[in-house]
Amino acid sequence: MRKDRISVLLATPAVALSLALTAGCGANDENASDEPKTATGSLEELAEQAKCDPDVQKHASEELRQANCTTDDGKYILITFATDRGVREWLHEAKPYGGSYLVGRKWVAVGDEKVTEALRGRLGGTVETGSSHHSGGSDDDGGGSTDHEGHEGHEGS
């Protein structure tokens, strides 16, 4: 009988740990279901999911397609790419200019932070932020201007 008590005592923490781990996994599953699955598809299919009537821009390159969108949340640009690598290369070039980017598989939506967060509820994806140009440092001309046009020579610090 003593052996049975020890078995029960040893089994109880294992069962408790197992239940705790299982309950923890269930909680994570609930949080994961709150976020929409990241959308995929053509420019037109993504625009439909985003509730946008796209103004599609013609590009000579088949590597990307672009549409201007306006919804109740605001204006944004929706861009689709032929490859995921195209997305990363484009973001590498775009992020130094600042902005908010909602990134999915072979697509990016560009708009202000409020718009990209609202779109994330419909399209899923990950919000990425471009470089901040308000680092508190002084401008070369000493004028303290917040007008940041023409960043060709900007290397950051």
Side-chain angles (χ1 to χ4, degrees):
M1 181 144 181
R2 187 168 187 2
K3 189 174 182 180
D4 290 341
R5 278 188 184 164
I6 292 173
S7 296
V8 170
L9 290 175
L10 290 176
T12 304
V15 170
L17 179 60
S18 175
L19 289 174
L21 290 174
T22 303
C25 290
N28 288 339
D29 290 344
E30 287 177 22
N31 291 339
S33 67
D34 289 345
E35 294 183 17
K37 181 178 174 185
T38 300
T40 59
S42 69
L43 181 65
E44 291 79 7
E45 291 167 336
L46 291 166
E48 184 178 328
Q49 290 178 56
K51 301 192 182 344
C52 160
D53 182 18
D55 177 15
V56 178
Q57 307 298 306
K58 304 292 182 198
H59 285 280
S61 168
E62 293 182 18
E63 294 297 311
L64 67 91
R65 295 186 64 220
Q66 173 180 319
N68 296 324
C69 291
T70 303
T71 63
D72 292 341
D73 299 312
K75 294 181 180 183
Y76 61 95
I77 299 171
L78 184 59
I79 308 165
T80 57
F81 298 83
T83 64
D84 288 321
R85 181 177 177 181
V87 171
R88 298 307 333 158
E89 289 173 352
W90 186 89
L91 282 169
H92 179 75
E93 294 294 322
K95 280 185 167 184
Y97 295 98
S100 184
Y101 305 88
L102 179 62
V103 181
R105 180 131 199 268
K106 298 184 184 178
W107 60 266
V108 175
V110 184
D112 67 27
E113 187 176 348
K114 176 187 144 219
V115 173
T116 56
E117 285 294 338
L119 282 173
R120 186 169 183 254
R122 294 191 291 276
L123 297 178
T126 305
V127 175
E128 297 185 22
T129 305
S131 298
S132 173
H133 295 290
H134 302 284
S135 62
S138 63
D139 293 335
D140 292 341
D141 65 1
S145 170
T146 58
D147 183 7
H148 296 284
E149 291 183 28
H151 283 86
E152 291 80 16
H154 180 67
E155 294 179 10
S157 42

